Amino acid sequence: MGIGRGLQNKERLYMLIAILIILIWVAPYFILGQDAHVRVHDNLDSNLGWYKVLKESGQLFAPIDAPFQQIFNGEMTRDAFYSQFNGMIILFSLLTPMIAYGVSQLITRVLAFIGMYLLLKKYVIKERPLGLIQVGAALTFALTPYWPSGMLSILGMPLALWAFLNIRNGEKSWVNYVILTILPFLSSFVLGFFFFLSGMGIFWLVDIIRTKKWNLKFFFSIAYMTVIYLLIDYRLVASMLLPHEPTNRDAFYESKNSLIETFTLILKNYVFSHNQDRTVSELIILPLTIVTLVIILAKKQWKKEKLFIGLHILNLLLSIWYAFWFYEGWQPLKDRVGLLTSFNFARYHYLRPLVIYALFALSLRYIWQLGKWGKSVAIICIIAQIYVLIPYNEQIAYKNQPSYRQYFAEEQFNEIKKFIGKPVEKYRVVSIGMHPDIAQYNGFYTLDSYSNLYPLSYKEEFRKIIAPELSKSKYLADYYDHWGGRVYVFVDELGKHYMFSKNSSMKITNLQLNIKQLKQMGGEYIISAVPILNAEENKLSLQKVFESNTSYWKIYLYHVK
């Protein structure tokens, strides 16, 4: 009893330390507020701007096909944005932006930690004296640099798996169903849990084959969570099922890698992961798990370590599947089956963080059991993994990028609006050298935007504006034509760069735009982060240069003659 109580006390101490580390990790969002630094890619450049635009539009609960006038001349509809029941939308509707962001980070990381800890403790590492490993692996998993707007789309998978395994084993606790009910509000179906739930479906089918039993409770729990997601994302479901005009997603052309490029991508993904599910496993976890695998194979212990071997195989298969989705051999089939073009089935790699950190825990357990030196190595590996994750904290990783306040530059854009002196809905703007969502965030009506869903006809119309510039760069032309998520004013001299600060010396010397098309679509002003030296040749007149101490930008305002 005394030994057991001592182990429990130690484990509680480990848990408290882990929670304290998470609190310290997210504290800057609450302390610094809008002066905090956050990721730009797929975050500041899109989602964080959209939340404010949606909140202030008054269209949060608008019908699916309600036109969104502020973007694309109303060609974008309400279903292009997240559901009003999405956790991030709710937080940003109720709280100030950085408090909402901080709360989302806190919720995500705490539940990620609890979920992985519960999963490891009950189903992966069942030995009692290994609380340090269970807590350490769970903590490092919770500190990974996940895609912020996804919340628990990836980091919530361990918690969901724990609940599903409980139901599969016949447990009747209401907690399992509460978890399956709440998680859909705090995560994305298409950008996370579709792949997890379809994986659970395969798991259920394998169970049937193996045990000859249907286990309907397990099946209905999977179906229940799926239905909750579909109800929350009813806008997306309706947009897929109801008749609609062709969208930009119908023109995706992703499968263009050669066989050599495909094998290179397998290796890259296996070692470094994808930017939306970074595991930061290449320095500590990957070498440790490979060494552990070699030892197990050398000792012929694969029967004893079936889970460990199975997870290694699954990890590799997920990287192979991801890379081969972009192999050119797929394209003829994608051309015939529209769903394979419009939906990215490569994203089963979202399961890899769960797999990799389970492998990390199993490797630590195996090394720990090798003796006193093994325990020391395991502890060092946990500490080392925490250490390599520290530079990925957003305040460190993005310290050389603009803060939230500097990026959206509200004071500076208010000056621009006053200078123009007309109601913002009476004219349209486009941006050069900076992301269009900055103008949107500040209330401007834009012809350009980052968008995952909009009419293909608009993409083609906007292309006429930038056609002269795209003709100079096959790289930019392929990027726009084969994907088109960024409907930007691309400039050959700038390339795929949209973050030119006020300290930049960059200048555009030979801009060539179809100004007639820009004017025809309602474009009256160009907001540029860099000077355009041949503005007059493009029938543009420089109105004023705007600077601000609180802004990242030096803005050149051009009027379309």
Side-chain angles (χ1 to χ4, degrees), residues 295-312:
I295 294 173
I296 288 171
L297 293 177
K299 291 186 174 182
K300 298 181 180 180
Q301 295 176 328
W302 50 79
K303 288 186 178 179
K304 182 183 175 184
E305 301 292 344
K306 286 181 182 178
L307 177 60
F308 182 79
I309 301 295
L311 289 176
H312 261 292

Side-chain angles (χ1 to χ4, degrees), residues 26 91 102-112 151-152 186:
V26 303
L91 288 173
V103 170
S104 74
Q105 288 270 334
L106 180 61
I107 291 171
T108 301
R109 297 194 185 280
V110 168
L111 290 182
M151 289 191 74
L152 287 157
L186 303 174

